[in-house]
Short mmCIF file of all heavy atoms in Angstrom, two decimals:
data_model
loop_
_atom_site.label_atom_id
_atom_site.label_comp_id
_atom_site.label_asym_id
_atom_site.label_seq_id
_atom_site.Cartn_x
_atom_site.Cartn_y
_atom_site.Cartn_z
N MET A 1 4.32 22.37 4.00
CA MET A 1 4.28 21.10 4.68
C MET A 1 4.01 19.95 3.70
O MET A 1 4.59 18.89 3.83
CB MET A 1 3.19 21.13 5.74
CG MET A 1 3.08 19.82 6.48
SD MET A 1 2.08 20.00 7.91
CE MET A 1 1.28 18.44 7.91
N PHE A 2 3.12 20.19 2.74
CA PHE A 2 2.84 19.15 1.76
C PHE A 2 4.06 18.86 0.90
O PHE A 2 4.24 17.74 0.44
CB PHE A 2 1.65 19.54 0.88
CG PHE A 2 0.35 19.51 1.63
CD1 PHE A 2 -0.38 20.67 1.80
CD2 PHE A 2 -0.13 18.34 2.16
CE1 PHE A 2 -1.57 20.66 2.49
CE2 PHE A 2 -1.32 18.30 2.84
CZ PHE A 2 -2.06 19.47 3.02
N GLU A 3 4.90 19.85 0.69
CA GLU A 3 6.12 19.64 -0.09
C GLU A 3 7.07 18.68 0.64
O GLU A 3 7.69 17.83 0.01
CB GLU A 3 6.81 20.98 -0.35
CG GLU A 3 8.02 20.88 -1.24
CD GLU A 3 7.69 20.43 -2.65
OE1 GLU A 3 6.57 20.71 -3.13
OE2 GLU A 3 8.55 19.79 -3.27
N LYS A 4 7.16 18.80 1.94
CA LYS A 4 8.01 17.89 2.72
C LYS A 4 7.49 16.46 2.65
O LYS A 4 8.27 15.52 2.52
CB LYS A 4 8.08 18.35 4.17
CG LYS A 4 8.90 19.59 4.37
CD LYS A 4 8.98 19.95 5.84
CE LYS A 4 9.78 21.22 6.04
NZ LYS A 4 9.88 21.58 7.46
N ILE A 5 6.20 16.30 2.72
CA ILE A 5 5.60 14.97 2.63
C ILE A 5 5.78 14.41 1.22
O ILE A 5 6.09 13.24 1.03
CB ILE A 5 4.12 15.01 3.04
CG1 ILE A 5 4.01 15.36 4.52
CG2 ILE A 5 3.43 13.69 2.74
CD1 ILE A 5 2.61 15.62 4.99
N ARG A 6 5.62 15.26 0.23
CA ARG A 6 5.77 14.84 -1.17
C ARG A 6 7.19 14.36 -1.45
O ARG A 6 7.38 13.39 -2.19
CB ARG A 6 5.40 16.00 -2.09
CG ARG A 6 5.40 15.65 -3.55
CD ARG A 6 4.93 16.85 -4.37
NE ARG A 6 5.41 16.73 -5.71
CZ ARG A 6 6.53 17.28 -6.18
NH1 ARG A 6 7.27 18.02 -5.40
NH2 ARG A 6 6.90 17.10 -7.42
N ARG A 7 8.18 15.02 -0.86
CA ARG A 7 9.57 14.63 -1.09
C ARG A 7 9.89 13.23 -0.57
O ARG A 7 10.82 12.59 -1.04
CB ARG A 7 10.52 15.64 -0.45
CG ARG A 7 10.68 16.89 -1.28
CD ARG A 7 11.79 17.75 -0.77
NE ARG A 7 11.48 18.22 0.59
CZ ARG A 7 12.38 18.63 1.47
NH1 ARG A 7 13.64 18.66 1.14
NH2 ARG A 7 12.01 19.03 2.66
N LEU A 8 9.12 12.74 0.39
CA LEU A 8 9.35 11.40 0.91
C LEU A 8 9.07 10.32 -0.12
O LEU A 8 9.62 9.22 -0.06
CB LEU A 8 8.46 11.16 2.14
CG LEU A 8 8.80 11.93 3.39
CD1 LEU A 8 7.74 11.69 4.45
CD2 LEU A 8 10.16 11.52 3.91
N PHE A 9 8.20 10.62 -1.09
CA PHE A 9 7.79 9.64 -2.08
C PHE A 9 8.51 9.79 -3.42
O PHE A 9 8.12 9.15 -4.39
CB PHE A 9 6.27 9.73 -2.29
CG PHE A 9 5.50 9.38 -1.05
CD1 PHE A 9 5.01 10.38 -0.23
CD2 PHE A 9 5.32 8.07 -0.70
CE1 PHE A 9 4.31 10.06 0.91
CE2 PHE A 9 4.63 7.73 0.44
CZ PHE A 9 4.12 8.74 1.26
N ILE A 10 9.55 10.59 -3.47
CA ILE A 10 10.33 10.77 -4.69
C ILE A 10 11.62 9.98 -4.56
O ILE A 10 12.36 10.14 -3.59
CB ILE A 10 10.62 12.26 -4.94
CG1 ILE A 10 9.32 13.01 -5.17
CG2 ILE A 10 11.56 12.43 -6.13
CD1 ILE A 10 9.48 14.51 -5.30
N ILE A 11 11.88 9.13 -5.53
CA ILE A 11 13.10 8.31 -5.54
C ILE A 11 14.20 9.14 -6.16
O ILE A 11 14.10 9.57 -7.32
CB ILE A 11 12.87 7.02 -6.34
CG1 ILE A 11 11.70 6.25 -5.75
CG2 ILE A 11 14.12 6.18 -6.36
CD1 ILE A 11 11.21 5.14 -6.64
N LYS A 12 15.29 9.37 -5.39
CA LYS A 12 16.34 10.26 -5.86
C LYS A 12 17.65 9.55 -6.18
O LYS A 12 18.42 10.02 -7.01
CB LYS A 12 16.61 11.33 -4.80
CG LYS A 12 15.43 12.22 -4.49
CD LYS A 12 15.77 13.17 -3.37
CE LYS A 12 14.55 13.61 -2.65
NZ LYS A 12 14.09 12.72 -1.61
N THR A 13 17.95 8.44 -5.51
CA THR A 13 19.26 7.79 -5.68
C THR A 13 19.08 6.33 -6.09
O THR A 13 18.01 5.74 -5.93
CB THR A 13 20.06 7.84 -4.37
OG1 THR A 13 19.37 7.09 -3.38
CG2 THR A 13 20.25 9.27 -3.90
N LYS A 14 20.17 5.77 -6.60
CA LYS A 14 20.15 4.36 -6.98
C LYS A 14 20.01 3.46 -5.76
O LYS A 14 19.40 2.39 -5.84
CB LYS A 14 21.43 4.00 -7.75
CG LYS A 14 21.44 4.55 -9.14
CD LYS A 14 22.63 4.03 -9.91
CE LYS A 14 22.58 4.55 -11.33
NZ LYS A 14 23.64 3.98 -12.16
N PHE A 15 20.55 3.89 -4.64
CA PHE A 15 20.41 3.11 -3.41
C PHE A 15 18.93 2.93 -3.04
O PHE A 15 18.50 1.84 -2.65
CB PHE A 15 21.18 3.77 -2.27
CG PHE A 15 21.11 3.02 -0.97
CD1 PHE A 15 21.78 1.82 -0.82
CD2 PHE A 15 20.35 3.51 0.08
CE1 PHE A 15 21.71 1.12 0.37
CE2 PHE A 15 20.26 2.81 1.27
CZ PHE A 15 20.95 1.62 1.42
N GLU A 16 18.15 3.99 -3.18
CA GLU A 16 16.71 3.90 -2.91
C GLU A 16 16.03 2.94 -3.88
O GLU A 16 15.13 2.19 -3.50
CB GLU A 16 16.07 5.28 -2.99
CG GLU A 16 16.50 6.21 -1.88
CD GLU A 16 16.01 7.63 -2.08
OE1 GLU A 16 15.59 7.97 -3.21
OE2 GLU A 16 16.06 8.40 -1.12
N VAL A 17 16.47 2.95 -5.14
CA VAL A 17 15.92 2.03 -6.13
C VAL A 17 16.23 0.59 -5.73
O VAL A 17 15.37 -0.29 -5.82
CB VAL A 17 16.46 2.34 -7.54
CG1 VAL A 17 16.05 1.25 -8.53
CG2 VAL A 17 15.98 3.68 -8.02
N TYR A 18 17.46 0.34 -5.26
CA TYR A 18 17.83 -1.01 -4.85
C TYR A 18 16.99 -1.46 -3.65
O TYR A 18 16.56 -2.62 -3.59
CB TYR A 18 19.31 -1.09 -4.50
CG TYR A 18 20.22 -0.92 -5.70
CD1 TYR A 18 21.32 -0.09 -5.63
CD2 TYR A 18 19.99 -1.57 -6.89
CE1 TYR A 18 22.16 0.08 -6.71
CE2 TYR A 18 20.81 -1.41 -7.99
CZ TYR A 18 21.90 -0.58 -7.89
OH TYR A 18 22.72 -0.42 -8.97
N LEU A 19 16.74 -0.57 -2.71
CA LEU A 19 15.91 -0.92 -1.56
C LEU A 19 14.48 -1.24 -1.98
O LEU A 19 13.88 -2.21 -1.50
CB LEU A 19 15.91 0.21 -0.54
CG LEU A 19 17.20 0.43 0.24
CD1 LEU A 19 17.06 1.64 1.15
CD2 LEU A 19 17.55 -0.79 1.04
N ILE A 20 13.93 -0.45 -2.88
CA ILE A 20 12.57 -0.69 -3.35
C ILE A 20 12.49 -1.99 -4.13
O ILE A 20 11.55 -2.79 -3.96
CB ILE A 20 12.09 0.50 -4.21
CG1 ILE A 20 11.92 1.73 -3.32
CG2 ILE A 20 10.79 0.17 -4.94
CD1 ILE A 20 11.73 3.00 -4.08
N THR A 21 13.49 -2.25 -4.97
CA THR A 21 13.51 -3.49 -5.74
C THR A 21 13.61 -4.70 -4.81
O THR A 21 12.95 -5.72 -5.03
CB THR A 21 14.67 -3.48 -6.74
OG1 THR A 21 14.56 -2.34 -7.58
CG2 THR A 21 14.67 -4.73 -7.60
N TYR A 22 14.41 -4.58 -3.76
CA TYR A 22 14.54 -5.67 -2.80
C TYR A 22 13.20 -5.95 -2.11
O TYR A 22 12.78 -7.10 -1.99
CB TYR A 22 15.61 -5.34 -1.77
CG TYR A 22 15.78 -6.38 -0.70
CD1 TYR A 22 16.39 -7.59 -0.99
CD2 TYR A 22 15.30 -6.16 0.58
CE1 TYR A 22 16.53 -8.57 -0.01
CE2 TYR A 22 15.44 -7.12 1.56
CZ TYR A 22 16.05 -8.32 1.26
OH TYR A 22 16.18 -9.27 2.23
N ALA A 23 12.53 -4.90 -1.69
CA ALA A 23 11.24 -5.07 -1.03
C ALA A 23 10.21 -5.68 -1.98
O ALA A 23 9.44 -6.57 -1.58
CB ALA A 23 10.75 -3.72 -0.50
N LEU A 24 10.19 -5.23 -3.22
CA LEU A 24 9.27 -5.80 -4.19
C LEU A 24 9.60 -7.27 -4.47
O LEU A 24 8.70 -8.10 -4.64
CB LEU A 24 9.31 -5.01 -5.50
CG LEU A 24 8.69 -3.62 -5.46
CD1 LEU A 24 8.97 -2.89 -6.78
CD2 LEU A 24 7.21 -3.69 -5.20
N ALA A 25 10.89 -7.60 -4.51
CA ALA A 25 11.31 -8.97 -4.77
C ALA A 25 10.90 -9.90 -3.62
O ALA A 25 10.51 -11.05 -3.85
CB ALA A 25 12.81 -9.04 -4.98
N LEU A 26 10.98 -9.41 -2.39
CA LEU A 26 10.52 -10.23 -1.26
C LEU A 26 9.04 -10.55 -1.39
O LEU A 26 8.62 -11.69 -1.19
CB LEU A 26 10.77 -9.50 0.06
CG LEU A 26 12.20 -9.45 0.56
CD1 LEU A 26 12.27 -8.65 1.85
CD2 LEU A 26 12.74 -10.84 0.78
N GLY A 27 8.25 -9.56 -1.74
CA GLY A 27 6.82 -9.78 -1.93
C GLY A 27 6.53 -10.70 -3.10
O GLY A 27 5.64 -11.55 -3.03
N ALA A 28 7.29 -10.55 -4.17
CA ALA A 28 7.08 -11.39 -5.35
C ALA A 28 7.44 -12.84 -5.06
O ALA A 28 6.75 -13.76 -5.51
CB ALA A 28 7.90 -10.87 -6.52
N CYS A 29 8.49 -13.07 -4.29
CA CYS A 29 8.86 -14.44 -3.94
C CYS A 29 7.81 -15.07 -3.03
O CYS A 29 7.51 -16.26 -3.16
CB CYS A 29 10.24 -14.47 -3.28
SG CYS A 29 11.57 -14.19 -4.44
N GLU A 30 7.28 -14.28 -2.12
CA GLU A 30 6.21 -14.79 -1.26
C GLU A 30 4.99 -15.16 -2.09
O GLU A 30 4.37 -16.21 -1.89
CB GLU A 30 5.86 -13.75 -0.20
CG GLU A 30 4.91 -14.24 0.84
CD GLU A 30 5.48 -15.35 1.69
OE1 GLU A 30 6.71 -15.36 1.91
OE2 GLU A 30 4.69 -16.22 2.13
N ARG A 31 4.63 -14.29 -3.03
CA ARG A 31 3.50 -14.59 -3.91
C ARG A 31 3.81 -15.79 -4.78
O ARG A 31 2.94 -16.64 -5.03
CB ARG A 31 3.18 -13.37 -4.78
CG ARG A 31 1.99 -13.54 -5.66
CD ARG A 31 0.74 -13.73 -4.83
NE ARG A 31 -0.37 -14.09 -5.69
CZ ARG A 31 -1.45 -14.69 -5.26
NH1 ARG A 31 -1.59 -14.99 -4.00
NH2 ARG A 31 -2.41 -14.99 -6.09
N GLY A 32 5.05 -15.90 -5.24
CA GLY A 32 5.45 -17.06 -6.05
C GLY A 32 5.33 -18.36 -5.28
O GLY A 32 4.94 -19.39 -5.84
N LYS A 33 5.67 -18.33 -3.99
CA LYS A 33 5.52 -19.54 -3.17
C LYS A 33 4.05 -19.94 -3.06
O LYS A 33 3.72 -21.13 -3.09
CB LYS A 33 6.11 -19.33 -1.78
CG LYS A 33 7.63 -19.31 -1.77
CD LYS A 33 8.24 -19.42 -0.40
CE LYS A 33 7.64 -18.55 0.64
NZ LYS A 33 8.41 -18.51 1.89
N LEU A 34 3.18 -18.96 -2.96
CA LEU A 34 1.75 -19.26 -2.92
C LEU A 34 1.29 -19.87 -4.25
O LEU A 34 0.46 -20.79 -4.26
CB LEU A 34 0.95 -18.01 -2.61
CG LEU A 34 1.13 -17.44 -1.20
CD1 LEU A 34 0.38 -16.12 -1.06
CD2 LEU A 34 0.65 -18.43 -0.16
N TYR A 35 1.82 -19.36 -5.36
CA TYR A 35 1.49 -19.94 -6.65
C TYR A 35 1.96 -21.38 -6.74
O TYR A 35 1.28 -22.23 -7.31
CB TYR A 35 2.11 -19.13 -7.80
CG TYR A 35 1.35 -17.89 -8.17
CD1 TYR A 35 2.02 -16.73 -8.52
CD2 TYR A 35 -0.04 -17.87 -8.20
CE1 TYR A 35 1.33 -15.58 -8.87
CE2 TYR A 35 -0.73 -16.73 -8.55
CZ TYR A 35 -0.05 -15.59 -8.89
OH TYR A 35 -0.74 -14.46 -9.24
N LEU A 36 3.13 -21.68 -6.19
CA LEU A 36 3.62 -23.05 -6.23
C LEU A 36 2.72 -23.99 -5.42
O LEU A 36 2.56 -25.16 -5.78
CB LEU A 36 5.06 -23.12 -5.70
CG LEU A 36 6.12 -22.51 -6.60
CD1 LEU A 36 7.47 -22.51 -5.90
CD2 LEU A 36 6.20 -23.25 -7.92
N ASP A 37 2.14 -23.47 -4.33
CA ASP A 37 1.22 -24.29 -3.55
C ASP A 37 -0.12 -24.47 -4.28
O ASP A 37 -0.70 -25.56 -4.27
CB ASP A 37 0.96 -23.66 -2.18
CG ASP A 37 2.17 -23.72 -1.28
OD1 ASP A 37 3.06 -24.56 -1.52
OD2 ASP A 37 2.23 -22.90 -0.34
N GLN A 38 -0.61 -23.41 -4.91
CA GLN A 38 -1.90 -23.48 -5.58
C GLN A 38 -1.85 -24.25 -6.89
O GLN A 38 -2.78 -24.96 -7.25
CB GLN A 38 -2.44 -22.08 -5.85
CG GLN A 38 -2.85 -21.33 -4.61
CD GLN A 38 -3.28 -19.91 -4.91
OE1 GLN A 38 -3.16 -19.43 -6.04
NE2 GLN A 38 -3.78 -19.21 -3.90
N TYR A 39 -0.76 -24.07 -7.63
CA TYR A 39 -0.60 -24.69 -8.95
C TYR A 39 0.67 -25.51 -8.97
O TYR A 39 1.71 -25.06 -9.45
CB TYR A 39 -0.54 -23.62 -10.05
CG TYR A 39 -1.69 -22.66 -10.04
CD1 TYR A 39 -1.53 -21.37 -9.55
CD2 TYR A 39 -2.95 -23.04 -10.49
CE1 TYR A 39 -2.59 -20.47 -9.53
CE2 TYR A 39 -4.01 -22.16 -10.48
CZ TYR A 39 -3.82 -20.88 -10.00
OH TYR A 39 -4.86 -20.01 -9.97
N PRO A 40 0.64 -26.72 -8.45
CA PRO A 40 1.86 -27.53 -8.43
C PRO A 40 2.29 -27.91 -9.85
O PRO A 40 1.48 -28.05 -10.75
CB PRO A 40 1.46 -28.77 -7.63
CG PRO A 40 -0.02 -28.82 -7.68
CD PRO A 40 -0.49 -27.43 -7.88
N GLY A 41 3.59 -28.00 -10.00
CA GLY A 41 4.12 -28.40 -11.31
C GLY A 41 4.60 -27.22 -12.13
O GLY A 41 4.98 -26.17 -11.62
N TYR A 42 4.56 -27.44 -13.43
CA TYR A 42 5.13 -26.49 -14.38
C TYR A 42 4.41 -25.13 -14.35
O TYR A 42 5.05 -24.09 -14.44
CB TYR A 42 5.05 -27.12 -15.77
CG TYR A 42 5.84 -26.40 -16.83
CD1 TYR A 42 7.22 -26.35 -16.77
CD2 TYR A 42 5.19 -25.79 -17.89
CE1 TYR A 42 7.94 -25.69 -17.74
CE2 TYR A 42 5.90 -25.14 -18.87
CZ TYR A 42 7.27 -25.09 -18.79
OH TYR A 42 7.98 -24.44 -19.75
N GLY A 43 3.10 -25.14 -14.23
CA GLY A 43 2.33 -23.89 -14.22
C GLY A 43 2.69 -23.00 -13.04
O GLY A 43 2.80 -21.78 -13.18
N GLY A 44 2.88 -23.59 -11.87
CA GLY A 44 3.28 -22.83 -10.70
C GLY A 44 4.64 -22.19 -10.86
O GLY A 44 4.86 -21.05 -10.46
N TRP A 45 5.56 -22.95 -11.45
CA TRP A 45 6.91 -22.40 -11.67
C TRP A 45 6.89 -21.26 -12.69
O TRP A 45 7.63 -20.29 -12.55
CB TRP A 45 7.87 -23.50 -12.12
CG TRP A 45 8.33 -24.33 -10.97
CD1 TRP A 45 7.95 -25.60 -10.66
CD2 TRP A 45 9.24 -23.92 -9.94
NE1 TRP A 45 8.55 -26.00 -9.51
CE2 TRP A 45 9.36 -25.00 -9.05
CE3 TRP A 45 9.95 -22.76 -9.69
CZ2 TRP A 45 10.17 -24.95 -7.92
CZ3 TRP A 45 10.76 -22.71 -8.56
CH2 TRP A 45 10.87 -23.79 -7.70
N LEU A 46 6.06 -21.38 -13.70
CA LEU A 46 5.94 -20.29 -14.68
C LEU A 46 5.41 -19.01 -14.03
O LEU A 46 5.90 -17.91 -14.29
CB LEU A 46 5.05 -20.69 -15.84
CG LEU A 46 5.66 -21.63 -16.87
CD1 LEU A 46 4.61 -22.04 -17.89
CD2 LEU A 46 6.83 -20.97 -17.56
N LEU A 47 4.41 -19.15 -13.17
CA LEU A 47 3.87 -17.99 -12.47
C LEU A 47 4.89 -17.41 -11.50
O LEU A 47 4.99 -16.18 -11.34
CB LEU A 47 2.57 -18.36 -11.74
CG LEU A 47 1.38 -18.65 -12.65
CD1 LEU A 47 0.24 -19.24 -11.84
CD2 LEU A 47 0.95 -17.39 -13.36
N PHE A 48 5.67 -18.27 -10.85
CA PHE A 48 6.72 -17.81 -9.95
C PHE A 48 7.75 -16.97 -10.70
O PHE A 48 8.14 -15.89 -10.27
CB PHE A 48 7.40 -19.02 -9.29
CG PHE A 48 8.41 -18.67 -8.25
CD1 PHE A 48 8.04 -18.55 -6.93
CD2 PHE A 48 9.74 -18.45 -8.59
CE1 PHE A 48 8.96 -18.23 -5.95
CE2 PHE A 48 10.67 -18.13 -7.63
CZ PHE A 48 10.28 -18.02 -6.30
N VAL A 49 8.18 -17.48 -11.84
CA VAL A 49 9.17 -16.75 -12.66
C VAL A 49 8.58 -15.45 -13.19
O VAL A 49 9.27 -14.42 -13.25
CB VAL A 49 9.68 -17.64 -13.80
CG1 VAL A 49 10.50 -16.86 -14.81
CG2 VAL A 49 10.50 -18.80 -13.25
N ALA A 50 7.29 -15.45 -13.52
CA ALA A 50 6.66 -14.22 -14.01
C ALA A 50 6.63 -13.16 -12.91
O ALA A 50 6.87 -11.98 -13.18
CB ALA A 50 5.24 -14.53 -14.49
N CYS A 51 6.36 -13.57 -11.68
CA CYS A 51 6.34 -12.61 -10.56
C CYS A 51 7.71 -11.98 -10.37
O CYS A 51 7.84 -10.75 -10.28
CB CYS A 51 5.94 -13.31 -9.26
SG CYS A 51 4.21 -13.67 -9.11
N THR A 52 8.73 -12.81 -10.28
CA THR A 52 10.07 -12.27 -10.01
C THR A 52 10.61 -11.51 -11.22
O THR A 52 11.29 -10.50 -11.06
CB THR A 52 11.03 -13.39 -9.61
OG1 THR A 52 11.04 -14.40 -10.62
CG2 THR A 52 10.63 -14.00 -8.28
N GLY A 53 10.31 -11.98 -12.42
CA GLY A 53 10.78 -11.29 -13.62
C GLY A 53 10.19 -9.90 -13.74
O GLY A 53 10.89 -8.95 -14.13
N ALA A 54 8.94 -9.75 -13.38
CA ALA A 54 8.30 -8.43 -13.44
C ALA A 54 8.96 -7.45 -12.48
O ALA A 54 9.14 -6.27 -12.80
CB ALA A 54 6.81 -8.56 -13.13
N VAL A 55 9.36 -7.93 -11.32
CA VAL A 55 10.03 -7.06 -10.34
C VAL A 55 11.36 -6.57 -10.88
O VAL A 55 11.69 -5.39 -10.77
CB VAL A 55 10.23 -7.81 -9.00
CG1 VAL A 55 11.16 -7.03 -8.09
CG2 VAL A 55 8.91 -8.04 -8.33
N PHE A 56 12.14 -7.45 -11.47
CA PHE A 56 13.45 -7.03 -11.94
C PHE A 56 13.37 -6.16 -13.18
O PHE A 56 14.23 -5.29 -13.39
CB PHE A 56 14.36 -8.24 -12.13
CG PHE A 56 14.68 -8.89 -10.83
CD1 PHE A 56 14.24 -10.17 -10.53
CD2 PHE A 56 15.40 -8.21 -9.86
CE1 PHE A 56 14.53 -10.75 -9.31
CE2 PHE A 56 15.69 -8.77 -8.63
CZ PHE A 56 15.25 -10.05 -8.36
N MET A 57 12.34 -6.33 -13.99
CA MET A 57 12.14 -5.41 -15.10
C MET A 57 11.76 -4.02 -14.57
O MET A 57 12.23 -3.00 -15.09
CB MET A 57 11.08 -5.93 -16.05
CG MET A 57 11.56 -7.06 -16.92
SD MET A 57 10.44 -7.50 -18.25
CE MET A 57 9.06 -8.15 -17.35
N ALA A 58 10.93 -3.98 -13.54
CA ALA A 58 10.57 -2.69 -12.94
C ALA A 58 11.78 -2.03 -12.30
O ALA A 58 11.96 -0.81 -12.39
CB ALA A 58 9.46 -2.90 -11.91
N GLY A 59 12.63 -2.82 -11.65
CA GLY A 59 13.84 -2.27 -11.05
C GLY A 59 14.77 -1.69 -12.10
O GLY A 59 15.35 -0.62 -11.90
N ALA A 60 14.90 -2.38 -13.22
CA ALA A 60 15.76 -1.87 -14.29
C ALA A 60 15.18 -0.57 -14.85
O ALA A 60 15.94 0.37 -15.15
CB ALA A 60 15.87 -2.91 -15.40
N LYS A 61 13.88 -0.50 -14.97
CA LYS A 61 13.24 0.73 -15.47
C LYS A 61 13.46 1.88 -14.50
O LYS A 61 13.72 3.02 -14.93
CB LYS A 61 11.74 0.46 -15.68
CG LYS A 61 11.00 1.61 -16.27
CD LYS A 61 11.41 1.83 -17.70
CE LYS A 61 10.52 2.88 -18.32
NZ LYS A 61 10.93 3.21 -19.66
N MET A 62 13.39 1.62 -13.20
CA MET A 62 13.63 2.68 -12.22
C MET A 62 15.08 3.15 -12.26
O MET A 62 15.36 4.34 -12.15
CB MET A 62 13.27 2.20 -10.81
CG MET A 62 11.79 2.11 -10.56
SD MET A 62 11.36 1.78 -8.84
CE MET A 62 11.77 0.06 -8.70
N LEU A 63 16.02 2.22 -12.43
CA LEU A 63 17.43 2.60 -12.53
C LEU A 63 17.67 3.46 -13.77
O LEU A 63 18.41 4.45 -13.72
CB LEU A 63 18.32 1.36 -12.57
CG LEU A 63 18.54 0.66 -11.25
CD1 LEU A 63 19.26 -0.66 -11.48
CD2 LEU A 63 19.31 1.53 -10.30
N ASP A 64 17.05 3.09 -14.89
CA ASP A 64 17.17 3.89 -16.10
C ASP A 64 16.57 5.28 -15.90
O ASP A 64 17.09 6.28 -16.40
CB ASP A 64 16.49 3.21 -17.28
CG ASP A 64 17.26 2.01 -17.78
OD1 ASP A 64 18.46 1.89 -17.44
OD2 ASP A 64 16.67 1.20 -18.51
N ALA A 65 15.46 5.35 -15.17
CA ALA A 65 14.83 6.65 -14.92
C ALA A 65 15.71 7.55 -14.09
O ALA A 65 15.76 8.76 -14.31
CB ALA A 65 13.48 6.44 -14.24
N ILE A 66 16.44 6.99 -13.12
CA ILE A 66 17.36 7.79 -12.30
C ILE A 66 18.48 8.33 -13.18
O ILE A 66 18.84 9.51 -13.09
CB ILE A 66 17.92 6.95 -11.15
CG1 ILE A 66 16.82 6.60 -10.16
CG2 ILE A 66 19.05 7.67 -10.44
CD1 ILE A 66 16.23 7.76 -9.41
N ASP A 67 19.03 7.49 -14.05
CA ASP A 67 20.09 7.95 -14.96
C ASP A 67 19.57 9.04 -15.90
O ASP A 67 20.26 10.03 -16.16
CB ASP A 67 20.64 6.78 -15.78
CG ASP A 67 21.44 5.81 -14.93
OD1 ASP A 67 21.91 6.22 -13.85
OD2 ASP A 67 21.57 4.65 -15.35
N TYR A 68 18.37 8.84 -16.42
CA TYR A 68 17.77 9.82 -17.31
C TYR A 68 17.55 11.15 -16.59
O TYR A 68 17.81 12.21 -17.14
CB TYR A 68 16.44 9.27 -17.84
CG TYR A 68 15.73 10.21 -18.78
CD1 TYR A 68 16.09 10.28 -20.12
CD2 TYR A 68 14.69 11.02 -18.34
CE1 TYR A 68 15.44 11.13 -20.99
CE2 TYR A 68 14.04 11.87 -19.20
CZ TYR A 68 14.42 11.92 -20.52
OH TYR A 68 13.78 12.77 -21.37
N GLN A 69 17.08 11.07 -15.36
CA GLN A 69 16.82 12.29 -14.59
C GLN A 69 18.12 13.05 -14.31
O GLN A 69 18.15 14.27 -14.37
CB GLN A 69 16.12 11.95 -13.27
CG GLN A 69 15.73 13.15 -12.46
CD GLN A 69 15.01 12.76 -11.17
OE1 GLN A 69 14.96 11.60 -10.82
NE2 GLN A 69 14.47 13.74 -10.51
N LYS A 70 19.20 12.32 -14.02
CA LYS A 70 20.48 12.99 -13.79
C LYS A 70 21.02 13.63 -15.06
O LYS A 70 21.64 14.70 -15.02
CB LYS A 70 21.50 12.01 -13.23
CG LYS A 70 21.25 11.66 -11.78
CD LYS A 70 22.30 10.73 -11.25
CE LYS A 70 22.01 10.37 -9.82
NZ LYS A 70 22.99 9.43 -9.28
N ALA A 71 20.78 12.99 -16.21
CA ALA A 71 21.31 13.52 -17.46
C ALA A 71 20.50 14.69 -17.99
O ALA A 71 21.08 15.65 -18.50
CB ALA A 71 21.33 12.40 -18.50
N TYR A 72 19.19 14.65 -17.86
CA TYR A 72 18.34 15.64 -18.51
C TYR A 72 17.57 16.55 -17.56
O TYR A 72 16.80 17.37 -17.99
CB TYR A 72 17.35 14.96 -19.45
CG TYR A 72 18.05 14.25 -20.59
CD1 TYR A 72 18.13 12.87 -20.62
CD2 TYR A 72 18.64 14.97 -21.61
CE1 TYR A 72 18.77 12.22 -21.64
CE2 TYR A 72 19.28 14.31 -22.64
CZ TYR A 72 19.35 12.95 -22.65
OH TYR A 72 19.99 12.30 -23.67
N GLY A 73 17.72 16.34 -16.27
CA GLY A 73 17.02 17.18 -15.31
C GLY A 73 15.73 16.56 -14.84
O GLY A 73 15.31 15.50 -15.34
N PRO A 74 15.07 17.17 -13.91
CA PRO A 74 13.88 16.57 -13.31
C PRO A 74 12.65 16.54 -14.21
O PRO A 74 11.71 15.83 -13.95
CB PRO A 74 13.60 17.44 -12.08
CG PRO A 74 14.27 18.74 -12.36
CD PRO A 74 15.43 18.43 -13.25
N GLU A 75 12.63 17.28 -15.27
CA GLU A 75 11.44 17.30 -16.14
C GLU A 75 11.69 16.68 -17.47
O GLU A 75 12.66 16.62 -18.04
CB GLU A 75 10.95 18.73 -16.31
CG GLU A 75 10.43 19.26 -15.01
CD GLU A 75 9.88 20.68 -15.17
OE1 GLU A 75 9.70 21.12 -16.32
OE2 GLU A 75 9.67 21.31 -14.16
#
C-alpha cells in the first residue's frame, strides 16, 4: 500500500513536469505581486524576477532529470 502512495509523488513524464512548473509559476507570480506592493519600484521588480526566474530554473532542472532518468535508468 505504501508503494502505491509513494508512486503518486514520483514525476515520470515531461507533462507532469510542465504541470508542476505551471503551478509553481502561479505561486511565484502571486508572491511577486506581493513583493511589488511591499517594495515599490526597482527593488520590487528585482524580487519579482527572482521569484519567477527560480521557478523556471527548477523546471529546467526537472526536465533534465527526466531525460537523464530515461537515458540511464531510475538509479
